[in-house]
Amino acid sequence: MLFLNGPCPGKTDHRGSCQRETHYKPGTKMTDSKYFTTTKKGEIFELKAELNSDKKEKKKEAVKKVIASMTVGKDVSALFPDVVNCMQTDNLELKKLVYLYLMNYAKSQPDMAIMAVNTFVKDCEDPNPLIRALAVRTMGCIRVDKITEYLCEPLRKCLKDEDPYVRKTAAVCVAKLHDINAQLVEDQGFLDTLKDLISDSNPMVVANAVAALSEIAESHPSSNLLDLNPQSINKLLTALNECTEWGQIFILDCLANYMPKDDREAQSICERVTPRLSHANSAVVLSAVKVLMKFMEMLSKDLDYYGTLLKKLAPPLVTLLSAEPELQYVALRNINLIVQKRPEILKHEMKVFFVKYNDPIYVKLEKLDIMIRLASQANIAQVLAELKEYATEVDVDFVRKAVRAIGRCAIKVEQSAERCVSTLLDLIQTKVNYVVQEAIVVIKDIFRKYPNKYESVIATLCENLDSLDEPEARAAMIWIVGEYAERIDNADELLESFLEGFHDESTQVQLQLLTAIVKLFLKKPTETQELVQQVLSLATQDSDNPDLRDRGYIYWRLLSTDPVAAKEVVLAEKPLISEETDLIEPTLLDELICYIGTLASVYHKPPSAFVEGSRGIVHKSLPPRTGSSESAESPDAAPSGAPPSEQPAVIPTQGDLLGDLLNLDLGPPVSGPPVATSSVQMGAVDLLGGGLDSLLRSDVGGSPAMSGTGFTAPSTVMPANLGPPPSSGLGDLFDLAGGVGTLSGSHVAPKTVWLPAMKAKGLEISGTFSRQVGAISMDLLLTNKALQVMSDFAIQFNRNSFGLAPAAPLQIHAPLAPNQTVEISLPLNTVGSVMKMDPLNNLQVAVKNNIDVFYFSTLYPLHILFVEDGKMERQMFLATWKDIPNENEAQFHIKDCPLSADAVSSKLQGSNIFTVAKRNVEGQDMLYQSLKLTNGIWVLAELRIQPGSPSFALSLKCRAPEVSQYVYQAYETILKN
């Protein structure tokens, strides 16, 4: 069929023009070949032609089209040579476009990119400073190793360029180049040039030099690149007033890392930084706040300037809260830290933190938190009125937090407790389920803070028992019933109602119910015997939860053996709860203050907790306080006769991360040998008669129950070692802190070949080191692979770092025949000659026999030198930790180690690394450990374990910091085997 007129049936391209696929005369027969031939050359071909056009405008249009295609993701790398040819132009716009293209494709076409090098070098000497800067910037962005060597010369010239714009661009280029090839930058001396730029006359050059050096210093924390002194600080402060906002942030962050030599220098810096507080950019404001917060540590509170500075800090922080919600949130997270460190800054600004109806939930919750932190006797009425209003809002999460906040106010401001309790009772009367449940949870805390004061409200609480469906609220109610059982007539009925669905309850509720019923039994033994037997049976026999079972057995045994001790333990007077249980630990808070205006201040976690590969991160801390009020400020300076509130503090105040270790429930070590008794000693009276005994006769722990009168337990379930004096409490109940001599010995690595037969005329020596009950030994395997008998063996060690030496001769009683192997354990001591080796744990050994003397060296694991008396007293631990300088602290990461804190602790104790204390901080388990080397060096450790995460953070402090690396290796070896 022929188309003689009308539209052409050919293919339409994107410009709407129509092209015939084949050309033929009317009347000829069509074939399928038309589908495979085309006159269209394609887009790339067209662009290629345009790029090589003689007309400048056409060329520029073509490059724009190439960049457009590249931007939307089309591959235009085939045009590389044609685009590079367009570099030879005076047109700045065209040059920028070509450079943009080069940055994108140089990595995939490194060989082609070298074609552009000559033009770069030429452009670096162009009379136009914009082109010089553009060339050096682009060269820094092309991450191709082959090109970096060509970049050095142009970069050196640009760093010393007469135009500041070129110098500032070159400064940033050094940081980029360092990222690609650090060694090259150091060899070429660019770092020294960069340091010189800090003294540049142009503020922007100074700012960029600081930014580049800070960036490089972050990747090399050990290098002291930003070696600041008063002269360079003065130059930075001068540049601060004139550079852009980004430049100001870099300079302020740099200032924050400087340590002034005294309070006068600190004050002088503060005075010059204060004007930045009125900057329009919130990042500049926060960076300035960080510098001031840090240096205020060095100012005496008696100074007039200190008070002035406090007043100046409030308005900029308040202004940040008028920004958009996301910025408000960041500001609030930072303010939260500032208020914890210095509440006096914002104590008069409570109204700013009142919630607005249109605030997003994340801003509301953060404001609420800060309101509680600022609550005081002066403003509590205002705060409570607000909180009561919030408790009637529609947002459930916000209402819960508001109700909880009322409870926190009661605990924080004693004078307001009564008003808070009546407010909570009003809220309970609303009968709104989630409000009632939150109110009960906080009333439990109020009872803990003010015992025997508000118990009259218990009746009202009990009316709402049926409506409780959340574990925390149920657990709180059960605690109240158990704690005040003697005041509640039907306490047994109430607790029995919870017991009916015992197995469906959460662990939190089950544990609370078990304790509450045992309390009730100790208060009303005659009426509740059946109830207590029922709960103990449910907890120990029908439960899979080890925590619940253990607690059940402890109570069971206590009640059976010594009712007096049981009463002392279970009904002991509880410590009053602290008013600020949710404060950040002071050591962590000080570190976070140094990170104001960064992600760490939003997460409220140090960078090491969330930055991948953060092994090199240096922990920052606030400078020590100095100034005229030293005696008032520093607890160390308190006189010896000070009253208890001013005790000389090697022990930090309550709430300090290390200070709280003293309050942990860790029993002291038992001095005498453990008493081995096969069954439990009966107390004066068996409160439970034969009831428990009959229950236990069933096979509880997988072994036959033991017979006997009163309470007896299966040996697999209960340790045999019992019979504590009534006053010893739970700490020693199961000899938890038993003597040291029972340890099974430290980790022993498998034997490896130390001396191959080829090097020792047929004698092969394999070995390892071990430590068993205080004795170090070298376990050797000697194999004769020669054709002659070997005899007359002797061994000698060279001088080494810890004085290791054989404690006895190498005794091989019979000659060693060919192909025979003998195993020997050579006892070692540490009284030999000492010489520091490199590496520290290197041991050089000489072995002699009837054939020759052979030499080899091996590395011994440091944990064979950890002695058995390495557990430090808690007070001593605290004092020592504070006494060792911060620069002696080393940070390490242990990866791929999926163990719980308890498993870690027991594994390390087997190798004489002792846990002094353990606590949980913000969901992280913290183990504080000590170990002692044979030469008397103590090493203190803090091990952070995030449950569920296989990597741990380890901080080591030691007066001989060179040991830390080897102690860390010991930790890794022990935990991973």
Side-chain angles (χ1 to χ4, degrees), residues 406-408 410-412 414 417-418 420-422 424-425 428 438-462 473 475-488 519 523 572-578:
I406 295 171
R408 279 173 62 191
I411 290 166
K412 187 173 181 191
E414 190 167 347
E418 199 152 330
C420 291
V421 171
S422 66
L424 289 167
L425 288 176
I428 287 174
E438 284 297 329
I440 286 175
V441 172
V442 295
I443 286 174
K444 179 199 85 171
D445 288 341
I446 293 173
F447 286 169
R448 287 275 314 266
K449 178 73 176 172
Y450 309 109
N452 305 318
K453 212 167 176 188
Y454 301 108
E455 281 74 14
S456 53
V457 308
I458 291 175
T460 317
L461 303 183
C462 290
M477 194 66 227
I478 291 167
W479 182 87
I480 291 169
V481 173
E483 191 65 19
Y484 301 102
E486 69 278 14
R487 303 179 189 209
I488 305 171
K519 283 180 185 171
K523 290 172 182 178
E573 200 166 309
K574 287 155 198 68
L576 299 183
I577 60 172
S578 153

Coordinates of all heavy atoms in Angstrom, one line a residue, residues 406-408 410-412 414 417-418 420-422 424-425 428 438-462 473 475-488 519 523 572-578:
I406 N 3.2 16.2 86.9 CA 2.7 16.7 88.1 C 3.3 15.9 89.3 O 3.7 16.5 90.3 CB 1.1 16.5 88.2 CG1 0.5 17.4 87.1 CG2 0.6 16.8 89.6 CD1 -1.0 17.2 86.9
G407 N 3.5 14.6 89.1 CA 4.2 13.8 90.1 C 5.6 14.2 90.3 O 6.1 14.3 91.5
R408 N 6.3 14.6 89.2 CA 7.7 15.0 89.3 C 7.8 16.3 90.1 O 8.7 16.5 90.8 CB 8.3 15.1 87.9 CG 8.8 13.8 87.4 CD 9.2 13.8 86.0 NE 10.4 14.7 85.8 CZ 10.9 15.1 84.6 NH1 10.2 14.7 83.5 NH2 11.9 15.9 84.5
A410 N 5.8 17.2 92.5 CA 5.6 16.9 93.9 C 6.9 16.5 94.5 O 7.2 16.8 95.7 CB 4.5 15.9 94.0
I411 N 7.6 15.6 93.8 CA 8.9 15.1 94.3 C 9.9 16.2 94.4 O 10.7 16.2 95.3 CB 9.3 13.9 93.5 CG1 8.3 12.7 93.7 CG2 10.7 13.5 93.7 CD1 8.4 11.6 92.7
K412 N 9.9 17.1 93.4 CA 11.0 18.1 93.3 C 10.8 19.2 94.3 O 11.7 19.7 95.0 CB 11.1 18.7 91.9 CG 12.2 19.6 91.7 CD 12.4 20.0 90.3 CE 13.7 20.9 90.3 NZ 13.8 21.6 89.0
E414 N 9.0 20.2 97.6 CA 8.2 19.6 98.7 C 7.0 20.4 99.1 O 5.9 19.8 99.4 CB 9.2 19.4 99.9 CG 8.6 18.5 101.0 CD 9.6 18.1 102.1 OE1 10.8 18.3 101.8 OE2 9.2 17.6 103.1
A417 N 3.8 19.4 97.3 CA 3.4 18.0 97.3 C 1.9 17.8 97.5 O 1.2 17.1 96.8 CB 4.2 17.2 98.3
E418 N 1.4 18.5 98.5 CA 0.0 18.4 98.9 C -0.9 18.8 97.7 O -1.9 18.1 97.4 CB -0.3 19.2 100.1 CG -1.6 18.7 100.8 CD -1.5 19.0 102.3 OE1 -0.5 19.0 102.9 OE2 -2.6 19.2 102.9
C420 N -0.1 19.0 94.6 CA 0.0 18.0 93.5 C -0.9 16.8 93.7 O -1.5 16.3 92.8 CB 1.5 17.6 93.4 SG 2.6 18.9 92.8
V421 N -0.9 16.3 95.0 CA -1.6 15.1 95.3 C -3.1 15.4 95.1 O -3.9 14.5 94.5 CB -1.4 14.5 96.7 CG1 -2.3 13.4 97.1 CG2 0.1 14.1 96.8
S422 N -3.6 16.5 95.5 CA -5.0 16.8 95.3 C -5.4 17.0 93.8 O -6.4 16.6 93.4 CB -5.5 18.0 96.1 OG -4.8 19.2 95.6
L424 N -3.8 15.4 91.4 CA -3.9 14.0 90.9 C -5.2 13.3 91.2 O -5.8 12.6 90.4 CB -2.7 13.2 91.4 CG -1.3 13.6 90.8 CD1 -0.2 13.0 91.6 CD2 -1.2 13.2 89.3
L425 N -5.7 13.6 92.5 CA -7.0 12.9 92.9 C -8.1 13.5 92.0 O -9.0 12.7 91.6 CB -7.2 13.2 94.3 CG -6.3 12.4 95.3 CD1 -6.6 12.7 96.7 CD2 -6.6 10.8 95.1
I428 N -8.0 11.6 88.8 CA -8.5 10.3 89.0 C -10.0 10.2 88.9 O -10.6 9.3 88.3 CB -7.9 9.6 90.3 CG1 -6.4 9.3 90.1 CG2 -8.7 8.3 90.6 CD1 -5.7 8.8 91.3
E438 N -1.8 6.6 84.8 CA -0.6 7.5 84.9 C -0.5 8.0 86.4 O 0.5 8.1 87.0 CB -0.5 8.6 83.9 CG -0.1 8.2 82.5 CD 1.3 7.6 82.5 OE1 2.2 8.0 83.2 OE2 1.5 6.7 81.6
A439 N -1.7 8.5 86.8 CA -1.8 9.1 88.2 C -1.3 8.1 89.2 O -0.6 8.4 90.2 CB -3.2 9.6 88.5
I440 N -1.8 6.8 89.1 CA -1.4 5.8 90.1 C 0.1 5.6 90.1 O 0.7 5.4 91.1 CB -2.2 4.5 89.8 CG1 -3.7 4.7 90.3 CG2 -1.6 3.3 90.6 CD1 -4.6 3.6 90.0
V441 N 0.7 5.5 88.9 CA 2.1 5.3 88.8 C 2.9 6.4 89.5 O 3.9 6.2 90.2 CB 2.6 5.3 87.3 CG1 4.1 5.2 87.2 CG2 2.0 4.0 86.6
V442 N 2.5 7.7 89.3 CA 3.2 8.8 90.0 C 2.9 8.9 91.5 O 3.8 9.3 92.3 CB 3.0 10.2 89.3 CG1 3.5 10.1 87.9 CG2 1.6 10.6 89.3
I443 N 1.7 8.5 91.9 CA 1.4 8.5 93.3 C 2.3 7.5 94.1 O 2.7 7.8 95.2 CB -0.1 8.3 93.6 CG1 -0.9 9.5 93.2 CG2 -0.4 7.9 95.0 CD1 -2.4 9.4 93.2
K444 N 2.6 6.4 93.4 CA 3.5 5.4 94.0 C 4.8 6.1 94.3 O 5.4 5.9 95.4 CB 3.7 4.2 93.1 CG 4.7 3.2 93.6 CD 5.3 2.3 92.6 CE 6.5 2.9 92.0 NZ 7.2 2.1 91.1
D445 N 5.3 6.9 93.4 CA 6.6 7.6 93.6 C 6.5 8.6 94.8 O 7.4 8.8 95.5 CB 7.1 8.3 92.3 CG 7.6 7.3 91.3 OD1 7.9 6.1 91.7 OD2 7.6 7.6 90.1
I446 N 5.3 9.3 94.8 CA 5.1 10.3 95.9 C 5.1 9.6 97.3 O 5.7 10.1 98.2 CB 3.8 11.1 95.7 CG1 3.9 11.9 94.4 CG2 3.4 11.9 96.9 CD1 2.7 12.6 93.9
F447 N 4.5 8.4 97.3 CA 4.6 7.6 98.6 C 6.0 7.3 99.0 O 6.4 7.3 100.1 CB 3.8 6.3 98.4 CG 2.3 6.4 98.5 CD1 1.5 5.4 98.1 CD2 1.7 7.6 98.8 CE1 0.1 5.5 98.1 CE2 0.3 7.8 98.8 CZ -0.5 6.7 98.5
R448 N 6.8 7.0 98.0 CA 8.2 6.7 98.2 C 9.0 7.9 98.8 O 9.9 7.8 99.6 CB 8.9 6.2 96.9 CG 8.6 4.8 96.4 CD 9.3 3.7 97.1 NE 10.8 3.8 97.2 CZ 11.7 3.4 96.3 NH1 11.3 2.8 95.2 NH2 13.0 3.6 96.5
K449 N 8.6 9.0 98.3 CA 9.3 10.3 98.6 C 8.8 10.8 100.0 O 9.6 11.3 100.8 CB 9.1 11.3 97.6 CG 9.7 12.7 97.9 CD 11.2 12.7 97.7 CE 11.8 14.0 97.9 NZ 13.3 14.0 98.0
Y450 N 7.5 10.7 100.3 CA 7.0 11.2 101.5 C 6.2 10.1 102.2 O 5.0 10.1 102.2 CB 6.0 12.4 101.2 CG 6.6 13.4 100.4 CD1 6.2 13.6 99.0 CD2 7.7 14.3 100.8 CE1 6.7 14.6 98.2 CE2 8.2 15.2 100.0 CZ 7.8 15.4 98.7 OH 8.3 16.4 97.9
P451 N 6.9 9.2 102.9 CA 6.2 8.1 103.6 C 5.3 8.6 104.7 O 5.6 9.6 105.3 CB 7.3 7.2 104.1 CG 8.6 8.0 104.0 CD 8.4 9.1 103.0
N452 N 4.2 7.8 104.9 CA 3.3 8.1 106.1 C 2.7 9.5 106.0 O 2.5 10.2 107.0 CB 4.0 7.9 107.4 CG 4.6 6.5 107.5 OD1 4.0 5.6 107.1 ND2 5.8 6.4 108.0
K453 N 2.5 10.1 104.8 CA 2.0 11.4 104.7 C 0.6 11.5 103.9 O -0.3 12.2 104.3 CB 3.0 12.3 104.0 CG 3.0 13.7 104.5 CD 4.2 14.5 104.1 CE 4.2 15.9 104.5 NZ 5.2 16.7 104.0
Y454 N 0.6 10.7 102.8 CA -0.6 10.9 101.9 C -1.3 9.5 101.8 O -2.0 9.3 100.8 CB -0.1 11.4 100.6 CG 0.5 12.7 100.6 CD1 1.9 12.8 100.4 CD2 -0.2 13.9 100.9 CE1 2.5 14.1 100.5 CE2 0.4 15.1 101.0 CZ 1.8 15.2 100.8 OH 2.4 16.4 100.9
E455 N -1.1 8.6 102.7 CA -1.7 7.3 102.6 C -3.2 7.3 102.6 O -3.8 6.3 102.2 CB -1.1 6.3 103.6 CG 0.3 5.8 103.3 CD 1.4 6.8 103.5 OE1 1.2 7.8 104.1 OE2 2.5 6.6 102.9
S456 N -3.8 8.4 103.0 CA -5.2 8.5 103.1 C -5.9 8.3 101.7 O -7.1 8.0 101.6 CB -5.7 9.8 103.7 OG -5.0 10.8 103.0
V457 N -5.1 8.5 100.7 CA -5.7 8.4 99.3 C -5.8 7.0 98.8 O -6.3 6.8 97.7 CB -4.9 9.3 98.3 CG1 -4.7 10.7 98.8 CG2 -3.6 8.7 98.0
I458 N -5.2 6.0 99.6 CA -5.2 4.7 99.1 C -6.6 4.1 98.8 O -6.8 3.4 97.7 CB -4.4 3.7 100.1 CG1 -2.9 4.1 100.1 CG2 -4.6 2.3 99.7 CD1 -2.1 3.4 101.2
A459 N -7.5 4.5 99.6 CA -8.9 4.0 99.4 C -9.4 4.4 98.0 O -10.0 3.6 97.2 CB -9.8 4.6 100.4
T460 N -9.1 5.7 97.6 CA -9.6 6.2 96.3 C -8.9 5.3 95.2 O -9.5 5.0 94.2 CB -9.2 7.6 96.1 OG1 -9.5 8.3 97.3 CG2 -9.9 8.3 94.9
L461 N -7.6 5.0 95.4 CA -6.9 4.3 94.4 C -7.4 2.9 94.2 O -7.6 2.4 93.1 CB -5.4 4.2 94.8 CG -4.6 5.5 95.0 CD1 -3.1 5.2 95.3 CD2 -4.7 6.4 93.7
C462 N -7.8 2.3 95.3 CA -8.3 0.9 95.3 C -9.6 0.8 94.5 O -9.9 -0.2 93.9 CB -8.5 0.3 96.7 SG -6.9 0.0 97.5
A473 N 1.0 0.4 85.5 CA 0.0 0.9 86.4 C -0.3 -0.3 87.4 O -0.5 -0.1 88.6 CB -1.2 1.4 85.7
A475 N 1.5 -2.8 88.2 CA 2.7 -3.1 89.1 C 2.7 -2.0 90.2 O 3.0 -2.3 91.4 CB 3.9 -3.0 88.3
A476 N 2.4 -0.8 89.8 CA 2.4 0.3 90.8 C 1.3 0.1 91.9 O 1.6 0.2 93.1 CB 2.2 1.7 90.2
M477 N 0.2 -0.3 91.4 CA -0.9 -0.6 92.4 C -0.6 -1.7 93.3 O -0.9 -1.7 94.5 CB -2.2 -0.8 91.6 CG -3.5 -0.8 92.4 SD -3.8 0.9 93.0 CE -4.2 0.5 94.7
I478 N 0.0 -2.8 92.7 CA 0.3 -4.0 93.5 C 1.4 -3.6 94.6 O 1.3 -4.0 95.7 CB 0.9 -5.1 92.6 CG1 -0.3 -5.7 91.8 CG2 1.5 -6.2 93.5 CD1 0.2 -6.6 90.6
W479 N 2.3 -2.7 94.2 CA 3.4 -2.3 95.1 C 2.7 -1.5 96.3 O 3.0 -1.7 97.5 CB 4.4 -1.3 94.4 CG 5.5 -0.9 95.3 CD1 6.6 -1.5 95.6 CD2 5.5 0.3 96.1 NE1 7.4 -0.8 96.5 CE2 6.7 0.3 96.9 CE3 4.6 1.4 96.3 CZ2 7.0 1.3 97.7 CZ3 4.9 2.4 97.2 CH2 6.1 2.4 97.9
I480 N 1.7 -0.6 95.9 CA 1.0 0.1 97.0 C 0.3 -0.8 98.0 O 0.4 -0.7 99.2 CB 0.1 1.2 96.4 CG1 0.9 2.3 95.6 CG2 -0.8 1.8 97.4 CD1 0.1 3.2 94.7
V481 N -0.4 -1.8 97.4 CA -1.2 -2.7 98.3 C -0.2 -3.5 99.2 O -0.4 -3.7 100.4 CB -2.0 -3.7 97.4 CG1 -2.7 -4.7 98.3 CG2 -3.1 -2.9 96.6
G482 N 0.9 -4.0 98.6 CA 1.8 -4.8 99.4 C 2.5 -3.9 100.4 O 2.7 -4.3 101.6
E483 N 2.9 -2.7 100.1 CA 3.7 -1.8 101.0 C 2.8 -1.4 102.2 O 3.3 -1.2 103.3 CB 4.1 -0.6 100.2 CG 5.1 0.3 100.9 CD 6.5 -0.4 101.2 OE1 6.8 -1.4 100.6 OE2 7.2 0.1 102.1
Y484 N 1.5 -1.2 101.9 CA 0.6 -0.7 102.9 C -0.5 -1.7 103.3 O -1.6 -1.3 103.6 CB 0.0 0.7 102.5 CG 1.0 1.7 102.2 CD1 1.4 2.0 100.9 CD2 1.7 2.3 103.3 CE1 2.4 3.0 100.6 CE2 2.7 3.3 103.0 CZ 3.0 3.6 101.7 OH 4.0 4.5 101.4
A485 N -0.1 -3.0 103.2 CA -1.1 -4.1 103.4 C -1.7 -4.0 104.8 O -2.9 -4.3 105.0 CB -0.3 -5.4 103.3
E486 N -0.9 -3.5 105.8 CA -1.5 -3.5 107.2 C -2.6 -2.4 107.3 O -3.4 -2.5 108.2 CB -0.4 -3.2 108.2 CG 0.2 -1.8 108.2 CD 1.3 -1.7 107.1 OE1 1.4 -2.5 106.2 OE2 2.1 -0.7 107.2
R487 N -2.7 -1.5 106.3 CA -3.7 -0.4 106.4 C -4.9 -0.8 105.5 O -5.9 -0.1 105.5 CB -3.2 0.9 105.9 CG -1.9 1.4 106.7 CD -1.4 2.7 106.2 NE -0.1 3.0 106.7 CZ 0.3 4.2 106.9 NH1 -0.4 5.2 106.6 NH2 1.5 4.4 107.5
I488 N -4.8 -1.8 104.7 CA -5.9 -2.2 103.8 C -6.5 -3.5 104.3 O -5.8 -4.5 104.3 CB -5.3 -2.3 102.4 CG1 -4.6 -1.1 101.9 CG2 -6.5 -2.7 101.4 CD1 -3.8 -1.2 100.6
K519 N 5.4 -9.6 101.3 CA 5.3 -8.6 102.3 C 4.0 -8.8 103.1 O 4.1 -8.6 104.4 CB 5.2 -7.2 101.6 CG 6.5 -6.7 101.1 CD 6.3 -5.3 100.4 CE 7.5 -4.7 99.7 NZ 7.2 -3.6 98.9
K523 N 3.5 -9.5 107.2 CA 2.7 -8.6 108.1 C 1.5 -9.3 108.7 O 1.1 -9.0 109.8 CB 2.2 -7.4 107.2 CG 3.4 -6.5 106.8 CD 2.9 -5.4 105.9 CE 4.1 -4.5 105.5 NZ 3.7 -3.4 104.5
A572 N 12.6 -4.1 104.8 CA 13.6 -3.1 105.1 C 13.1 -1.7 104.8 O 12.3 -1.5 103.9 CB 14.9 -3.4 104.4
E573 N 13.6 -0.7 105.5 CA 13.2 0.7 105.2 C 13.9 1.1 103.9 O 15.1 0.9 103.7 CB 13.7 1.6 106.3 CG 13.0 2.9 106.3 CD 13.2 3.7 107.6 OE1 13.1 3.1 108.7 OE2 13.6 4.8 107.5
K574 N 13.1 1.6 103.0 CA 13.6 1.9 101.6 C 14.1 3.3 101.6 O 13.6 4.2 102.3 CB 12.5 1.8 100.6 CG 12.1 0.3 100.4 CD 10.7 0.1 99.9 CE 10.4 -1.4 100.1 NZ 10.2 -1.7 101.5
P575 N 15.2 3.5 100.8 CA 15.7 4.9 100.7 C 14.7 5.8 100.0 O 14.0 5.3 99.1 CB 17.0 4.7 99.9 CG 16.8 3.4 99.2 CD 15.9 2.6 100.0
L576 N 14.7 7.0 100.4 CA 13.7 8.0 99.7 C 14.2 8.1 98.2 O 15.4 8.2 98.0 CB 13.8 9.3 100.4 CG 13.3 9.3 101.8 CD1 13.3 10.8 102.4 CD2 11.9 8.7 102.0
I577 N 13.3 8.2 97.3 CA 13.7 8.3 95.9 C 14.2 9.7 95.7 O 13.8 10.7 96.3 CB 12.6 8.0 94.9 CG1 11.4 8.9 95.1 CG2 12.2 6.5 95.0 CD1 10.4 8.7 94.0
S578 N 15.2 9.8 94.8 CA 15.8 11.1 94.5 C 14.9 12.0 93.7 O 14.1 11.5 92.9 CB 17.1 10.8 93.7 OG 17.4 12.0 92.9

